[in-house]
Amino acid sequence: MPLTVLFAGGGTTGHISPMLAIADDLAFQVPDAQILMLGTAEGLETRLVPEAGHELLTIDKVPAPRRFDAGLVRFPGRLLGTVAAVTRIIRERGVDVVCGVGGYVSTPAYLAARRTGTPIVVHEANARPGLANRLGARLAPRERVGYTFASTPLGGVHVGMPMRSAIEAVDRTDPAARARAATALGLDPQRRTLVVTGGSLGAQAMNEAFREAMPDLMAAGLQVLHITGAGKGAELAAAAERYHGYHVVDYVDGMEHVYAAADLLICRAGAGTVAEATTAQVPAIYVPLPIGNGEQRLNAADAAAAGAAEIIENADFTAECIRTRIIPLLTDGARLAAMEQAARNMVFPRTAARTMVAMILDAAGLDHPHRPYPPERRTRDERARDAAAPPTTERPDSEGHQ
C-alpha cells in the first residue's frame, strides 16, 4: 500500500503555501505517495490546491466562539461533527499520517487523528502559535513538531519555513545573478533598488505614504519597484507616470527575482514574507499590520534582533518617515551591507520542507529514500558546496580503461 498523508490547513496563503511546499517535497521523494488535503469550501485552498495537482477534501468551517452567545452553545456539536467527518476520511482513505499547518481545519484533523491512533506531524508558521497548533503540539511527539522562528514558544524543532526551492536558491552574493533578476523585473541593474510590497492586505496606507514621498525618492537617485496588490495601485501608478525610476505593478510572478534584485525590501511581516526574506538574506524593513494578536511584529523580531532588519510601526510609517529613515538607509551602502551580513549570520534553517518530510516518513515508520535533488531544486548552500568540492575522477581499471 502506498503512503497516504492527509494535510490539514487552509484559509490563507500563510497556511496553504507551506503545506504545498511540504507536499511537493514529499511527492518528489515518494512519487507514489497519496496526498490528500483537507480544507473548507470558503478558503483559497479551493483554487490553490487543485492548481497544484492535489485532491482537496472539504469540511465545515468551525471557528471557536470568542464570546458567550448561541454560537458557543452550538460549537461543541459542530466541532464533533467535523471530527467525525475527518475520522471517516482517515479510515476510508487509509491515512497513515496527518500533517497539520494550523487553521480551522487542523483542530478536527488532530482530534480525529488522536481518535484513530494516526501519527500527527505539525508545522507552525507564526512566531505566536495559533490555538490549533498548540493542540497539535500537545498530541504529537516533540520531534514531530516544527516551527519557523527560533523564538516560537512551542516544544519542537526549529525547522524554518517550507517554501519554493527557487527562493531557497537565491544567491545575493552573485552579482551576475542579481543583475539578471533586475533585468527580469524590468529594472536597471546599475541603480540602487528599493522594493515595496504591502501583501494582499493592508497595502493602502503604505501606498499613500510612498505616493507622497515619491519626488524625494526620485531626487535621491533611487529606483523603486512597488508591488501594490490587485486593484490598489491606480493613484500610485498615475503619480509614477512622470518618473522613469518608479515602477508600479499589481503583483510579481516569481518573488525570487525580487529578493535577488532588492537592495532593501519594505513589507508587512506575515510569516511567509519574513521567512522568505530571511532565507534570501535581503535587508528588510518590516511594517507589521496592527491586527490580530500582534503576531506580525513577533514574526519580525528575530531578524530585527539580529540586525538583519528594522521594524517600523504602522502608525509611524509616513511620507516623513520615508524621507528621514528610508532614504538615508538606502543611500548608505555600508549600513545595507551590514544588514545583509547580519542576515547571513542568522541561524535560520533553509530546508524546512525536507525536514518536515523526514518527520512524516519517520511517523509512518518508513525509511527516507534520499533521492538526490536536481540542480533546480538544490539550495544556495548546496550549490556552494558543489562548486567548492574538488572534481572527482574515476581510477582506471587494470586494463587502463576509464
Side-chain angles (χ1 to χ4, degrees):
M1 293 289 291
L3 170 69
T4 300
V5 178
L6 177 65
F7 288 89
T12 67
T13 55
H15 289 133
I16 300 167
S17 293
M19 182 170 69
L20 292 177
I22 299 169
D24 180 64
D25 191 85
L26 176 63
F28 176 80
Q29 288 294 339
V30 188
D32 65 346
Q34 300 297 307
I35 294 173
L36 309 174
M37 297 208 165
L38 186 70
T40 73
E42 304 169 26
L44 291 174
E45 61 269 25
T46 58
R47 176 174 61 86
L48 297 177
V49 167
E51 284 180 358
H54 301 301
E55 182 180 357
L56 176 66
L57 307 171
T58 61
I59 59 174
D60 292 337
K61 179 179 177 180
V62 185
R66 299 190 181 276
R67 61 180 183 271
F68 292 97
D69 58 12
L72 181 62
V73 176
R74 293 192 297 268
F75 175 71
R78 295 183 65 201
L79 177 61
L80 287 174
T82 59
V83 173
V86 182
T87 299
R88 287 193 295 272
I89 290 171
I90 290 174
R91 288 174 173 161
E92 292 173 3
R93 302 299 293 267
V95 171
D96 298 294
V97 178
V98 168
C99 179
V101 297
Y104 294 121
V105 301
S106 289
T107 296
Y110 295 144
L111 293 174
R114 180 64 175 266
R115 176 183 289 182
T116 58
T118 306
I120 296 170
V121 175
V122 178
H123 183 269
E124 173 56 53
N126 285 293
R128 175 172 283 166
L131 291 173
N133 276 354
R134 291 208 296 270
L135 170 66
R138 292 172 65 90
L139 300 179
R142 292 174 64 95
E143 65 271 16
R144 293 178 192 159
V145 177
Y147 49 82
T148 296
F149 301 107
S151 58
T152 302
L154 199 67
V157 184
H158 181 207
V159 302
M161 175 71 85
M163 64 184 68
R164 294 187 304 110
S165 56
I167 294 173
E168 294 173 338
V170 170
D171 185 2
R172 291 174 52 82
T173 66
D174 183 350
R178 293 195 62 189
R180 287 194 298 271
T183 301
L185 294 168
L187 303 175
D188 181 352
Q190 303 302 316
R191 296 182 68 179
R192 188 71 53 86
T193 301
L194 168 65
V195 174
V196 183
T197 175
S200 59
L201 295 172
Q204 191 59 36
M206 290 174 63
N207 292 352
E208 291 174 359
F210 275 97
R211 180 164 56 87
E212 185 178 338
M214 192 180 297
D216 304 277
L217 289 157
M218 296 298 94
L222 301 170
Q223 174 176 230
V224 180
L225 174 64
H226 196 134
I227 308 167
T228 62
K232 297 182 179 181
E235 292 184 6
L236 192 72
E241 287 180 357
R242 74 190 75 168
Y243 299 109
H244 177 68
Y246 205 106
H247 308 264
V248 179
V249 297
D250 283 352
Y251 68 94
V252 169
D253 184 13
M255 285 297 290
E256 61 272 16
H257 301 310
V258 168
Y259 297 133
D263 291 289
L264 179 68
L265 176 71
I266 298 181
C267 55
R268 297 302 189 183
T273 301
V274 174
E276 289 181 357
T278 303
T279 294
Q281 301 172 350
V282 55
I285 293 204
Y286 296 114
V287 187
L289 267 175
I291 61 172
N293 55 11
E295 67 269 17
Q296 283 212 356
R297 198 180 200 288
L298 292 174
N299 291 341
D302 289 352
E310 296 181 9
I311 297 174
I312 298 178
E313 300 299 339
N314 187 70
D316 298 330
F317 196 88
T318 62
E320 185 61 20
C321 173
I322 295 171
R323 297 183 188 104
T324 59
R325 291 190 61 176
I326 306 304
I327 292 176
L329 173 57
L330 264 166
T331 54
D332 189 337
R335 285 180 63 192
L336 291 173
M339 292 176 73
E340 188 159 355
Q341 185 58 52
R344 293 193 193 105
N345 294 340
M346 286 184 69
V347 179
F348 192 83
R350 293 178 171 83
T351 54
R354 302 183 191 185
T355 304
M356 295 305 300
V357 167
M359 290 182 184
I360 290 171
L361 294 175
D362 178 71
L366 299 175
D367 292 332
H368 197 296
H370 295 291
R371 291 187 63 202
Y373 293 93
E376 65 272 14
R377 296 181 69 104
R378 296 178 70 78
T379 68
R380 176 183 58 254
D381 295 339
E382 289 171 332
R383 293 180 181 184
R385 285 196 298 269
D386 291 346
T392 59
T393 58
E394 295 181 359
R395 297 181 62 182
D397 59 25
S398 58
E399 296 182 354
H401 298 117
Q402 293 291 331

